[in-house]
Amino acid sequence: MSSLPFDPTSQALIRVDWTGTRAAGLVRLEAFLPAAGQAYSRTRNTDLGPDDRSNVSALSPWLARRVITEEEVVARVMATHGFVKAEKFIQEVYWRSYWKGWLEMRPQVLTRFNQDRLALKHVVAEDDALAERLRRAKAGETGIACFDAWVRELTTLGWLHNHARMWVASIWIFTLDLPWQLGADFFFKHLLDADVASNTLSWRWVAGLHTKGKHYLARASNIETHTLGRFHPVGQLAETALPLSEPFLETGPSALPVGEVLFEERVGLLLHSDDLHPESLPLTAKVVGAALLRSPEIGPVDGPKNKFLRRAEQDACTRLEAKFDVAAPLMASLEEALSWAVGLGVTEIATPYAPVGPIAWHLADLKRALAEHGIRLVRLRRSWDSRTWPLATGGFFKLKEKLPNLVRDLGRI
Ligand SMILES: Cc1cc2nc3c(=O)[nH]c(=O)nc-3n(C[C@H](O)[C@H](O)[C@H](O)COP(=O)(O)OP(=O)(O)OC[C@H]3O[C@@H](n4cnc5c(N)ncnc54)[C@H](O)[C@@H]3O)c2cc1C
């Protein structure tokens, strides 16, 4: 009989249904829950391949958009295993918050990334050899079997194991000699869990720019071990490359923007795809109208990411309607959102706080436009974020040390 507290051959654990609904996320959470304790910390680094995801939660697509919240995942895992046995898993959940807090206090890192990314597109347009290397990498035609397989996995499924992301990023930067910014852009376009902070900062970490001079080098022996021999790219990887460097960039933390509060008793609620769980928002007013601002990430090609996002948005609208007993239309543009808000006849619109990135920039434009109509856009920050982000002034250790305190109160959701 297996000594594991779960059935490792359970199909619900092995296979992931990547549907963007809350129901599908909760099914995955329940299937994975028994495996979130010590088994997770022992086995999580192995990439078993796309047909077996039994050793990791694969919850990132739902967590990244808060279709399910970090708070409820940690509370369920704590109730099942307790802190000591589930500490490794809980730490991983907090990595997302750490990256978000880190970037929120250093938005200039994202600004620089975006400037570089756009400038590089012009460089590629002028350099045929670079353009061809880039094309081959994105098509999975480099001849490095593991890299090509992971790229195809990314573009067809929209998801990769953490270790595979590290290897792909490392090979992209150090073996294929491609700009990290274009790799981060490629990941962001395809990942179901695309998260501005986790993605940009993880690429910087692999490159050796986050922890200056400390990069991550993919090695054939490590890949062989952690893919259980599926791949062994011996002699194909640049295993002695040096870390990247960059022009000076100030990365000292600045103050976090303060949280905002509602003053009115009747408000409109505008949801967006950085936070799709209106049921647990810290709302103190009656919601008299609701809407969802369509994600700027939804592109014209209906790949896995588009499908996931569209489904997650529809699902959130349905839950908005059920929760607040109002119609909850999708707003395709800022102009639509503006006329919806003006038509509601309220003076405050509540919206979940969006961390620095495309949605936050969208909301900043909307805030200015609403102000011209005498309407305040109030960005509600969750206590989860307010408690974790200030701990991201330095390395992850500072947040990790505080984990027992952070999780102590979570059972009361
Ligand atoms: C180059 C690179 C790019 C990445 N881009 C993204 C991204 O765009 N979006 C994204 O969500 N994650 C990103 N990650 C982090 C990580 O790979 C994924 O969050 C993780 O693989 C998700 O798998 P899981 O749900 O099975 O995680 P589990 O191992 O089951 O962990 C549980 C949860 O913890 C969080 N988590 C785990 N590891 C990390 C991590 N290293 N950083 C942040 N959160 C973590 C996720 O919410 C995850 O669902 C990136 C990592 C690298 C190396």
Side-chain angles (χ1 to χ4, degrees):
M1 212 173 86
S2 162
S3 62
L4 294 168
F6 55 93
D7 172 9
T9 64
S10 149
Q11 285 305 305
L13 184 58
I14 291 171
R15 301 240 164 222
V16 186
D17 167 11
W18 305 106
T19 303
T21 59
R22 179 165 163 82
L26 289 176
V27 166
R28 180 63 194 167
L29 172 59
E30 291 309 313
F32 179 69
L33 212 48
Q38 285 165 328
Y40 172 82
S41 78
R42 269 202 318 274
T43 63
R44 71 192 181 94
N45 279 329
T46 301
D47 178 5
L48 298 168
D51 296 330
D52 185 353
R53 292 302 175 206
S54 58
N55 62 336
V56 287
S57 74
L59 284 171
S60 53
W62 295 276
L63 279 168
R65 311 198 180 271
R66 283 203 167 132
V67 176
I68 59 177
T69 66
E70 296 96 322
E71 198 159 342
E72 65 187 321
V73 168
V74 171
R76 288 291 286 131
V77 169
M78 287 278 291
T80 309
H81 298 281
F83 181 69
V84 173
K85 287 192 179 152
E87 186 174 0
K88 192 70 216 169
F89 180 78
I90 292 169
Q91 271 174 25
E92 296 303 316
V93 174
Y94 276 92
W95 264 101
R96 178 185 307 286
S97 315
Y98 168 75
W99 288 130
K100 278 190 184 168
W102 196 96
L103 195 62
E104 201 65 20
M105 289 187 268
R106 298 143 176 109
Q108 69 277 14
V109 174
L110 190 61
T111 306
R112 164 78 70 85
F113 163 68
N114 277 323
Q115 287 165 347
D116 289 353
R117 192 172 55 92
L118 295 176
L120 278 160
K121 297 216 161 160
H122 294 294
V123 174
V124 172
E126 302 283 305
D127 183 336
D128 291 346
L130 174 61
E132 176 56 12
R133 283 210 322 281
L134 189 62
R135 189 200 64 74
R136 278 203 226 125
K138 288 182 173 183
E141 293 173 7
T142 65
I144 303 172
C146 57
F147 181 93
D148 293 346
W150 288 317
V151 162
R152 282 193 293 271
E153 201 178 320
L154 174 67
T155 52
T156 54
L157 287 179
W159 195 86
L160 285 179
H161 184 278
N162 180 56
H163 227 149
R165 297 182 199 211
M166 288 158 62
W167 292 319
V168 169
S170 180
I171 295 169
W172 179 286
I173 298 167
F174 299 112
T175 299
L176 302 176
D177 196 20
L178 288 167
W180 71 267
Q181 297 92 332
L182 298 183
D185 187 48
F186 179 55
F187 263 34
F188 197 81
K189 283 211 168 78
H190 290 282
L191 282 171
L192 305 182
D193 60 32
D195 172 318
V196 171
S198 293
N199 188 51
T200 315
L201 298 178
S202 296
W203 273 86
R204 286 178 60 80
W205 176 82
V206 171
L209 300 170
H210 183 74
T211 313
K212 300 268 175 274
K214 227 181 131 197
H215 57 332
Y216 176 78
L217 280 179
R219 295 185 196 284
S221 59
N222 178 263
I223 291 175
E224 184 184 25
T225 305
H226 291 291
T227 58
L228 303 183
R230 278 188 304 131
F231 299 112
H232 191 200
V234 69
Q236 290 192 292
L237 308 183
E239 300 200 12
T240 56
L242 296 173
L244 300 189
S245 59
E246 65 182 349
F248 177 75
L249 177 59
E250 175 57 60
T251 55
S254 51
L256 276 173
V258 289
E260 297 169 351
V261 288
L262 290 167
F263 296 126
E264 300 296 334
E265 287 175 2
R266 299 170 73 256
V267 299
L269 174 60
L270 183 65
L271 219 59
H272 53 71
S273 59
D274 270 350
D275 191 322
L276 292 174
H277 195 244
E279 295 91 336
S280 62
L281 273 176
L283 268 171
T284 50
K286 179 172 168 53
V287 172
V288 296
L292 193 147
L293 186 59
R294 167 134 281 172
S295 169
E297 283 175 54
I298 293 187
V301 184
D302 242 350
K305 179 178 175 182
N306 258 15
K307 282 195 187 125
F308 185 92
L309 257 175
R310 281 185 198 279
R311 198 65 202 282
E313 289 184 342
Q314 268 167 13
D315 183 57
C317 284
T318 307
R319 286 184 289 109
L320 261 177
E321 290 178 354
K323 166 83 182 163
F324 298 109
D325 198 21
V326 291
L330 261 175
M331 302 286 125
S333 66
L334 285 187
E335 291 70 29
E336 267 186 42
L338 179 64
S339 60
W340 161 80
V342 171
L344 269 186
V346 295
T347 53
E348 283 185 339
I349 300 289
T351 192
Y353 189 100
V356 60
I359 293 175
W361 297 327
H362 237 42
L363 291 178
D365 290 342
L366 183 63
K367 193 177 176 76
R368 277 189 291 275
L370 284 170
E372 288 175 20
H373 294 267
I375 302 172
R376 280 178 76 222
L377 183 71
V378 183
R379 293 163 302 178
L380 302 174
R381 198 156 72 206
R382 291 173 181 271
S383 64
W384 176 281
D385 296 334
S386 295
R387 293 174 78 205
T388 50
W389 290 358
L391 298 172
T393 46
F396 181 70
F397 184 72
K398 193 167 162 189
L399 194 154
K400 191 172 139 185
E401 259 187 344
K402 294 278 189 317
L403 276 186
N405 293 347
L406 288 170
V407 300
R408 192 167 298 145
D409 299 332
L410 291 179
R412 299 178 283 106
I413 299 172

